[in-house]
Amino acid sequence: MIRTALIYGGDSSEWGISVLSGKYVATCLDPARYEVTELLLRNGQWSVCDPSVTDVAVPVAPFIPSRLKEYDVAVIMIHGTPGENGILQAELERHGLPFTTCSSRVSAITFDKHACKKGLQGVGIPLAPEMFFHRGEAFNPEEVVEKLGLPVFVKPNDGGSSFGVTKVKRQEDLAAAVAAAFSESDDVLIESFIPGRELTEGVFSRGGEIITLPVTEIISHNEYFDYEAKYMGKSDEVCPAQISREVEMKVREQTRRIYQHFGCSGMIRCDYILSESGQVYFLEINPIPGMTKMSLVPAQIRAAGMEVSEVLDGIIAEAISSFRA
């Protein structure tokens, strides 16, 4: 039996989605192979959760982090901090526990949208023009419009979901959008709007091989892929995407190159815009993508003719073997 710490929760606005992801993953882990303990990490407090409750986290006992050394592997399902930005990974590395995501260093880079894009400059992957602001730094709406035009997207730099994201069409709305983004992060990214189709693709490593999943096209019923579109059914998710073979291969190659370039581990998801000219622009990496039953990556796994359970088996096995190597 593989003693498995399944960790969900976190401190970001999307912690409830993290719980749902963790609960679904728990149902995909074969009880004949895995002895699973569900752990809620919230505001620095650890709790053991009731595994019989499938849609909410019900703490039943406190948990001491030093007990992590009793496990063989940690399956991390926290979206946002501290699961995607490397903080939890650093703690697990300190305890010598293998885990199923990128390392603490890679997580910190890929979760930071600005740092991630900087790291891809010169790699041959198209990137949307951007401006970056730290809390307290001077912000001039006129300068933003002059450099990036309108519309623009204003985003928390290290937010893992759609909280604090605004599409801005008028210069006079920029200040409010930046304030909303700062409510979720100490850093804000403003990107040029690129008209086109939104594509996304999951990728993972198994047995040393980088495996890309079928590409999904996201067609939002709202103006963009906001929280309602992402989590409340206000979008159509077409998988496999109805795109040309040439575009499909371009997306897959870029996803594979990004995964390899940063030295990623486990499952990540890369988001793109297919511009009207046929260029594939990279938007961001989701270091720990949603894994609810209806999330994008599980749908891509099913479209590839695989089971979520077998993909998790491969990711867990690789995490353990890579740690021991």
Side-chain angles (χ1 to χ4, degrees):
M1 295 284 281
I2 300 173
R3 297 167 300 174
T4 305
L6 173 58
I7 309 172
Y8 50 68
D11 303 334
S12 75
S13 299
E14 56 195 315
W15 78 275
I17 301 298
S18 168
V19 171
L20 295 179
S21 288
K23 289 292 187 179
Y24 176 64
V25 165
T27 69
C28 298
L29 296 176
D30 183 356
R33 299 186 61 184
Y34 302 98
E35 181 183 327
V36 178
T37 302
E38 296 184 24
L39 299 176
L40 174 70
L41 174 56
R42 183 96 173 110
N43 299 322
Q45 300 299 312
W46 293 76
S47 304
V48 178
C49 280
D50 186 344
S52 67
V53 181
T54 60
D55 56 353
V56 294
V58 179
V60 294
F63 181 83
I64 303 171
S66 60
R67 287 188 54 201
L68 289 168
K69 61 179 177 289
E70 301 172 8
Y71 294 88
D72 300 311
V73 67
V75 176
I76 305 176
M77 276 293 117
I78 293 180
H79 312 315
T81 187
E84 288 190 299
N85 56 6
I87 294 174
L88 175 57
Q89 287 81 355
E91 175 81 356
L92 298 180
E93 287 165 356
R94 187 172 70 84
H95 285 286
L97 179 63
F99 50 85
T100 56
T101 70
C102 299
S103 68
S104 60
R105 180 187 66 83
V106 175
S107 295
I109 294 170
T110 55
F111 188 59
D112 184 309
K113 296 178 176 66
H114 180 64
C116 182
K117 290 178 69 175
K118 286 293 185 184
L120 289 174
Q121 288 182 351
V123 180
I125 293 174
L127 306 168
E130 66 172 56
M131 294 180 73
F132 174 81
F133 297 93
H134 186 68
R135 188 183 300 280
E137 186 177 0
F139 164 70
N140 187 332
E142 291 183 1
E143 182 184 352
V144 171
V145 173
E146 181 179 347
K147 182 174 181 180
L148 302 179
L150 288 171
V152 293
F153 275 105
V154 181
K155 307 175 179 180
N157 184 55
D158 56 1
S161 187
S162 298
F163 293 101
V165 178
T166 309
K167 182 179 180 181
V168 177
K169 300 178 181 178
R170 304 186 307 166
Q171 180 176 306
E172 54 265 39
D173 295 332
L174 271 169
V178 169
F182 273 131
S183 72
E184 295 287 335
S185 172
D186 285 331
D187 301 303
V188 168
L189 196 66
I190 305 179
E191 290 181 328
S192 294
F193 169 68
I194 299 172
R197 301 164 66 183
E198 185 162 356
L199 306 176
T200 188
E201 181 179 37
V203 55
F204 65 101
S205 177
R206 180 176 63 191
E209 178 186 4
I210 297 174
I211 300 171
T212 55
L213 295 171
V215 179
T216 298
E217 179 177 6
I218 299 166
I219 306 170
S220 177
H221 299 173
N222 297 341
E223 191 160 9
Y224 63 96
F225 196 44
D226 59 8
Y227 185 85
E228 278 193 338
K230 186 174 291 187
Y231 297 122
M232 300 175 69
K234 296 295 184 70
S235 66
D236 297 319
E237 297 162 1
V238 182
C239 184
Q242 301 303 298
I243 52 179
S244 69
R245 178 66 173 168
E246 178 185 0
V247 169
E248 178 193 1
M249 295 309 296
K250 188 182 297 186
V251 173
R252 285 183 177 245
E253 173 55 30
Q254 289 190 182
T255 301
R256 187 178 292 107
R257 193 187 316 171
I258 289 167
Y259 193 94
Q260 193 168 33
H261 176 74
F262 285 118
C264 294
S265 309
M267 177 74 71
I268 70 168
R269 203 186 78 231
C270 295
D271 296 343
Y272 303 96
I273 288 291
L274 172 61
S275 73
E276 294 169 348
S277 65
Q279 193 79 275
V280 178
Y281 285 86
F282 169 79
L283 295 179
E284 63 185 69
I285 289 175
N286 293 267
I288 304 179
M291 287 294 289
T292 71
K293 187 174 184 179
M294 303 306 295
S295 292
L296 291 160
V297 165
Q300 292 175 357
I301 291 171
R302 292 189 290 268
M306 296 185 285
E307 298 291 335
V308 173
S309 57
E310 70 171 290
V311 171
L312 290 170
D313 286 345
I315 290 172
I316 291 170
E318 175 137 313
I320 294 172
S321 64
S322 298
F323 185 82
R324 292 172 177 168

